[in-house]
Amino acid sequence: MNSSTPVFKLSVTAVGVMSDFAHITVYNGVLEDIARGYEQLNLTLPAGLYSITLKLDGNIIKEHVRLTEDTHYEIPTPPVYSSLVADRFESSHEYYTHNAERYSRETTVQTDTTEGGAIFLFFRYTDVDKRKELNTEQHSLGEGFSLLDANRKVLFQLQGNNISEDTDTGWMAFHAILPVGIYYLHYSGHQFGEDIGSDHDLPPREIPLQVFKSSDKLQGLADKYWQTQVFLTFGYGPIFPSMSIFIAPRKQGFINNDENNYRIDGLRHKFHNGVFILPEKVLLEFEQGQWAAPMKGLLAAYVYFSSPETNNELLFKNVTQDLPDLLGADTPDVKALQVLAAQYYHEQVPGVTLSQPCMFLAGVRAVIRASIKHPEVIADDSLLEDIADKLYCDMVWTSYVPAPLPEAHEQIETTASSDSLTSTIYNAVEKIIGYGSSPEEIGERLLKSQTVSTLLYYIEKLDDDVDINDLANRLQIPPNVVRKTINHILKFSDSIKDTESKPDQFNSSNINKLKSIQQ
């Protein structure tokens, strides 16, 4: 650069919805990356031609600027699509936002609980035209969905009088006041016909949802009970990675243009894509002790402790200390965050035990990692242990391949009583492989288990010194799950030997390795 070349100030700002999360990059005339950041860049540069790229929500906007004087350049953010119905999102429409607000304040079912939190579910298409294209027969969006209690017993099926819906415009709402605790949104899956194609088939899935209550000692809260709000977009079926979850004061319900919700949805979207960004506005709110949106605190803490960031350690220590009073010290997500924070700070894992999965996948993963050295972190024979090797990894929320609903279990158990297998054997293997009617069928199902096939692969490749904890670390599942899986393989090894599709790794040498590990 010639010393006589004039220099000017260039300010580039993203303006519009989700501008906090708009990533800006400035390039010089030979396309060298000279500056990057979020929402706004303030630079001093020599006169010349520059290129600017803005990225947000999968959209890319490119602009060119010839710098001949001090310049402030604004780039409007592109349209944003989200499951959240909010005025400034392109995928929101009055026929969705109005009904989301209405039914977040009106229950669709009556319960025995008057003093408690709530779960509010709102399913919809991106617009009525999509409904007409993808759901010509106007099937209910609640088909296949049930809400289960902490023991996985069905409380409500999302159909009939339990919901409010408009199958023409394509939305469904469910709202129930419920006691504080854990619940499960169960989806039974769906297989499509030849007209749509099997590649659109949706497997069963289950998602934990928590109903929260704040400590009575907290002052200044509008409501000590919270409403957990779930928004989900549909295509041919539910698009689970699009799910957005919020926590609002129960009596307030959903506010469609709440600025907190835009930031929460932006954080979720970035976190989903492995980008650990915390906008300055969010950090400032935490510093000022603003807790109008607990989900923002939960999500921000998960983002921070999942990143290599070290600039705000004291701030997030305070956040994790505040969350137990805000959301309940015994809730799975609060406990999981304590474990994740200990891993981040390289501290001793706290003396907590979880039996139920938390809402955030990052929390479940942190607890599984901790269990490799501290098995007591996951309760033995608990649901959390059961689902540790059945997790889906396509969204920030915890979801997993579920066991059949209790009604289905009872029917199978009745028919199984006349078979050669005892109920004890069923109880021993059902959490890994489901139910079977014969040892041969159980052997077939064992071989279809990803955990079993991966474990056999490592047994084949590793030396004789491998142990339970080493396998748990490689598989990223709790040691107890490894131990029980080995027991199941050995128990039904004779049946597997007779299976035509058995893998090469299932041989006498590897069976002996499993026996030595088991001892």
Side-chain angles (χ1 to χ4, degrees), residues 357-396:
C358 55
M359 293 201 300
F360 279 89
L361 178 61
V364 170
R365 284 175 165 167
V367 171
I368 290 173
R369 286 196 303 271
S371 74
I372 295 171
K373 291 186 177 180
H374 303 277
E376 69 281 1
V377 170
I378 298 180
D380 194 25
D381 291 327
S382 63
L383 177 62
L384 178 55
E385 181 187 87
D386 178 24
I387 61 97
D389 63 338
K390 302 177 181 67
L391 296 168
Y392 290 109
C393 299
D394 56 354
M395 60 180 183
V396 303

Side-chain angles (χ1 to χ4, degrees), residues 5 21 39 44 61 96 125 168 192 239 252 272-273 278 315 333 352 444 466 489 498-499:
T5 302
F21 301 93
E39 190 171 16
T44 300
I61 297 175
Y96 293 148
Y125 288 92
D168 182 32
F192 292 93
I239 306 173
Q252 169 191 290
H272 173 79
N273 291 310
L278 291 169
L315 174 61
D333 274 287
V352 297
E444 289 279 2
V466 66
I489 294 173
D498 299 328
T499 302

Side-chain angles (χ1 to χ4, degrees), residues 55-68:
K55 297 181 180 179
L56 177 65
D57 197 33
N59 296 289
I60 300 177
I61 297 175
K62 295 183 178 181
E63 302 284 353
H64 300 284
V65 175
R66 184 172 294 278
L67 192 61
T68 58

Side-chain angles (χ1 to χ4, degrees), residues 429-442:
V429 299
E430 68 180 55
K431 291 186 177 181
I432 297 292
I433 57 174
Y435 291 85
S437 58
S438 69
E440 290 74 21
E441 184 174 344
I442 290 177

Side-chain angles (χ1 to χ4, degrees), residues 16 33 52 67-68 92 104 135 250 297 312 336 339 361 411 463 506:
D33 177 347
I52 304 169
L67 192 61
T68 58
S92 292
S104 72
N135 186 2
R250 196 204 87 190
N312 295 285
V339 172
L361 178 61
Q411 293 173 2
D463 57 34
F506 192 86

Side-chain angles (χ1 to χ4, degrees), residues 158-218:
L158 302 193
Q159 56 184 257
N161 294 330
N162 292 336
I163 61 173
S164 292
E165 65 178 338
D166 183 343
T167 57
D168 182 32
T169 53
W171 62 265
M172 184 225 75
F174 169 87
H175 179 190
I177 299 174
L178 297 165
V180 172
I182 191 80
Y183 298 85
Y184 301 99
L185 182 62
H186 180 95
Y187 179 63
S188 60
H190 186 78
Q191 291 185 330
F192 292 93
E194 294 181 359
D195 54 332
I196 295 177
S198 59
D199 55 332
H200 291 286
D201 287 353
L202 295 166
R205 184 183 295 240
E206 196 165 281
I207 301 161
L209 299 174
Q210 181 76 32
V211 172
F212 300 96
K213 174 184 177 291
S214 295
S215 169
D216 293 333
K217 67 182 181 182
L218 283 184

Side-chain angles (χ1 to χ4, degrees), residues 75-183:
I75 305 177
T77 55
V80 175
Y81 296 83
S82 172
S83 289
L84 171 68
V85 289
D87 286 346
R88 296 162 65 192
F89 283 155
E90 192 73 13
S91 52
S92 292
H93 306 278
E94 192 275 337
Y95 48 85
Y96 293 148
T97 56
H98 168 76
N99 288 292
E101 286 195 313
R102 174 185 173 183
Y103 287 104
S104 72
R105 299 182 181 94
E106 296 178 16
T107 58
T108 60
V109 293
Q110 297 299 313
T111 66
D112 296 331
T113 303
T114 55
E115 279 295 304
I119 288 179
F120 168 64
L121 310 174
F122 193 82
F123 301 168
R124 51 77 172 235
Y125 288 92
T126 52
D127 54 44
V128 66
D129 291 333
K130 264 308 177 195
R131 196 285 303 159
K132 291 178 179 179
E133 174 190 346
L134 302 177
N135 186 2
T136 56
E137 297 182 6
Q138 298 188 30
H139 292 294
S140 171
L141 299 188
E143 285 187 5
F145 282 94
S146 300
L147 186 68
L148 316 183
D149 66 12
N151 296 315
R152 296 195 69 252
K153 293 182 179 179
V154 176
L155 287 177
F156 303 102
Q157 293 181 325
L158 302 193
Q159 56 184 257
N161 294 330
N162 292 336
I163 61 173
S164 292
E165 65 178 338
D166 183 343
T167 57
D168 182 32
T169 53
W171 62 265
M172 184 225 75
F174 169 87
H175 179 190
I177 299 174
L178 297 165
V180 172
I182 191 80
Y183 298 85

